[in-house]
């Protein structure tokens, strides 16, 4: 199946610093990638949708200046949490639409990044 | 009312039991139906997906979709302790060309524990 790699798996940073999370599709080209945030014992909350070569579309309530998304190639999207604060501590997960035929409508997820802001 | 309703459980079963997980939905435009398994502090892992109505089987897992009732199910046979996880149903609609609009609508997730 389609494999999505996400790094780092866990990052601890000081308040005010920026953190970059990478999401790569390893064996397929992903024209669309998604970024989610998940709080403990809750379902996934979509933050933004990114298409290769264009600006990301953010969901209502998500600060685009705080969460910078870049999708420079068909296999790589990055999420940068700028000037992180403790309230940004969360589990961030990326996904990508992959495959051919009907599978192109299926999202494959990365392993997630646990962000802890001190 | 949420677009997708899923019983959050928790569900606890003995090893070897048959597990039934279900979701109901209200949007008749949904065409792709997925089941994901999520272990603690990991990303969701795709178990199965189904297009439109029907059944699909993969090993110990069977997915069923009944679009007339707006009801989907995942059955796990011979459940194992390693099946203990949160199970998420998800669904999406497609445009006239058969391409997904992209966004998934998730259920709340069902926490399953299979005890030895």
């Amino acid at each position: 199946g389609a494999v999505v790699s996400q790094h780092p798996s866990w990052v601890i940073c000081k308040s005010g610093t920026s953190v970059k999370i990478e999401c790569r599709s390893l064996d397929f080209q992903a024209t669309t990638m998604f970024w989610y945030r998940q709080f403990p014992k809750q379902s996934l909350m979509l933050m933004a949708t990114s298409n290769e070569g264009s600006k990301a579309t953010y969901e209502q309530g998500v600060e685009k200046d705080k969460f910078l998304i870049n999708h420079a190639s068909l296999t790589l999207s990055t999420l940068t949490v700028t000037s992180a604060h403790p309230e940004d501590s969360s589990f961030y997960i990326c996904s990508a639409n992959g495959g051919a035929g009907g599978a192109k409508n299926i999202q494959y997820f990365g392993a997630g990044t646990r962000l802890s802001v001190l | 009312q949420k677009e997708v309703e899923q019983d959050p459980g928790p569900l606890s079963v003995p090893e070897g039991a048959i597990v039934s997980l279900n979701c109901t939905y209200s949007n008749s435009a949904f065409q792709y139906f997925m089941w994901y398994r999520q272990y603690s502090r990991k990303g969701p892992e795709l178990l199965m997906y189904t297009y439109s109505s029907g059944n699909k089987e993969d090993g110990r897992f069977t997915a069923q979709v009944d679009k007339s009732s707006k009801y989907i199910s995942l059955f796990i046979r011979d459940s194992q302790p390693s099946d203990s996880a949160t199970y998420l149903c998800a669904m999406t609609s497609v445009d006239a060309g058969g391409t997904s609009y992209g966004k998934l609508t998730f259920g709340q997730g069902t926490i399953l524990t299979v005890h030895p």
Side-chain angles (χ1 to χ4, degrees):
Chain A
V3 180
V4 175
S5 175
Q6 185 175 342
H7 291 282
S9 58
W10 193 3
V11 58
I12 301 173
C13 70
K14 293 182 179 180
S15 184
T17 61
S18 294
V19 174
K20 180 184 284 189
I21 302 170
E22 287 191 353
C23 181
R24 294 180 184 272
S25 56
L26 296 186
D27 52 359
F28 65 100
Q29 293 185 329
T31 54
T32 306
M33 288 186 169
F34 305 85
W35 288 94
Y36 294 84
R37 185 171 180 176
Q38 187 176 34
F39 294 102
K41 298 186 178 180
Q42 294 189 22
S43 193
L44 285 74
M45 181 186 77
L46 180 66
M47 297 174 66
T49 302
S50 80
N51 290 292
E52 185 264 338
S54 61
K55 290 184 178 180
T57 302
Y58 290 82
E59 295 299 299
Q60 191 174 6
V62 177
E63 299 175 59
K64 56 184 67 176
D65 294 331
K66 157 73 78 176
F67 300 101
L68 299 178
I69 292 171
N70 183 280
H71 193 162
S73 77
L74 286 173
T75 59
L76 174 64
S77 176
T78 60
L79 168 68
T80 301
V81 183
T82 62
S83 187
H85 290 284
E87 58 267 28
D88 298 322
S89 299
S90 191
F91 192 55
Y92 294 88
I93 313 172
C94 71
S95 72
N97 277 2
K104 70 178 184 291
N105 297 321
I106 307 304
Q107 287 187 30
Y108 296 87
F109 287 84
T113 297
R114 184 179 170 196
L115 172 62
S116 298
V117 184
L118 304 177
Chain B
Q1 183 186 6
K2 295 182 179 178
E3 271 195 297
V4 179
E5 297 277 0
Q6 182 177 4
D7 186 345
L11 187 59
S12 181
V13 301
E15 183 175 356
I18 296 174
V19 176
S20 172
L21 305 167
N22 312 291
C23 289
T24 59
Y25 63 95
S26 57
N27 188 346
S28 58
F30 288 141
Q31 293 275 36
Y32 280 87
F33 304 90
M34 289 140 277
W35 285 97
Y36 291 91
R37 176 175 62 194
Q38 186 176 22
Y39 293 113
S40 180
R41 298 181 180 179
K42 295 290 185 183
E45 170 195 2
L46 178 70
L47 287 175
M48 302 181 71
Y49 76 90
T50 309
Y51 173 68
S52 194
S53 283
N55 296 353
K56 192 173 185 179
E57 187 174 324
D58 184 2
R60 296 185 295 113
F61 299 91
T62 300
Q64 291 184 350
V65 174
D66 181 349
K67 291 195 71 180
S68 63
S69 301
K70 297 189 179 68
Y71 187 88
I72 70 170
S73 301
L74 177 72
F75 296 95
I76 307 174
R77 291 182 299 281
D78 188 25
S79 56
Q80 303 295 310
S82 58
D83 294 329
S84 299
T86 297
Y87 289 79
L88 295 158
C89 66
M91 42 200 83
T92 188
S93 54
V94 298
D95 61 21
T99 298
S100 169
Y101 288 109
K103 292 184 183 181
L104 293 182
T105 302
F106 286 93
Q108 301 95 304
T110 299
I111 300 171
L112 171 67
T113 301
V114 181
H115 51 86

